[in-house]
Amino acid sequence: MTNETSAALLYGILPSIREICGKDQQAEKALIQTFLKAEKHAPGFSDDFMRSFHKQAETVPYPYEATILATSSQHLREFQLSNDSELASLIQSRADNLKKILSSIPRVIPDRPIFLQTIKDIASNIRMLLDALNQRIEINRQKSRASTDRLDMQKREFVRFSKRFSEALKEYFQDRCDERKRGVFREANRLLHQTNQVLNTLRHN
């Protein structure tokens, strides 16, 4: 799945299914499996599905990319680490904080002073998350080479997308047009997706 499709599925479709189904776990499981299968066989289906709803909505305060971003700080069980160590809790907390700040971008971007402070907060949270990940990598290094390599590779991807987000911000401040703004939303979505990928790697490492 692409980053955007993952966001559409994770933060739009799956939470809605869980809310609609309530305590009917069989219906929930069946619907989730249907969407997962559709996405697997037709990549981009979830994104198209969510975009169609967004277009038909009578009032939409944000463009589609911003709408997905604004909903992306939800606590999903797919990205929750077990609290088996102080470091795991620290990584979870820092990842959740980063996602929360990233998801605030659509709301704060019109206010330059607040947006500039938000950017500083994002940079600070990226550094703190990387510090915690480096600690985990050092611990893993003493136990498993394969586990260390997987986490180190995911960390490098996280850094790469952090730089892409930074470049999108530079382009936006050079020319604050709607397309540059959408570029910020897209790269923020991708960085948030990479944050989830870090958590997912840790869950299965």
Side-chain angles (χ1 to χ4, degrees), residues 156-205:
R156 289 198 297 270
E157 281 294 284
F158 175 79
V159 170
R160 184 166 73 89
F161 279 88
S162 298
K163 291 178 179 177
R164 286 180 54 166
F165 175 66
S166 179
E167 287 300 315
L169 288 172
K170 290 178 183 177
E171 291 174 359
Y172 170 70
F173 283 114
Q174 289 171 359
D175 178 12
R176 285 184 283 176
C177 63
D178 287 343
E179 179 55 36
R180 298 297 192 191
K181 184 186 292 186
R182 286 194 293 271
V184 171
F185 297 148
R186 283 193 296 269
E187 293 306 326
N189 272 315
R190 288 167 177 159
L191 178 55
L192 196 144
H193 175 74
Q194 289 303 316
T195 306
N196 281 336
Q197 290 298 92
V198 167
L199 293 172
N200 189 52
T201 301
L202 287 167
R203 272 171 56 93
H204 297 93
N205 229 11

Side-chain angles (χ1 to χ4, degrees), residues 23 37 72 92 96 117 152 163 168 171 174 183 195 205:
K23 295 181 180 181
K37 186 179 292 186
S72 60
Q92 183 76 65
D96 287 344
Q117 181 58 51
D152 191 52
K163 291 178 179 177
E171 291 174 359
Q174 289 171 359
T195 306
N205 229 11

Side-chain angles (χ1 to χ4, degrees), residues 34-46:
T34 297
F35 274 96
L36 290 175
K37 186 179 292 186
E39 185 61 41
K40 180 180 179 180
H41 293 288
F45 171 81
S46 301

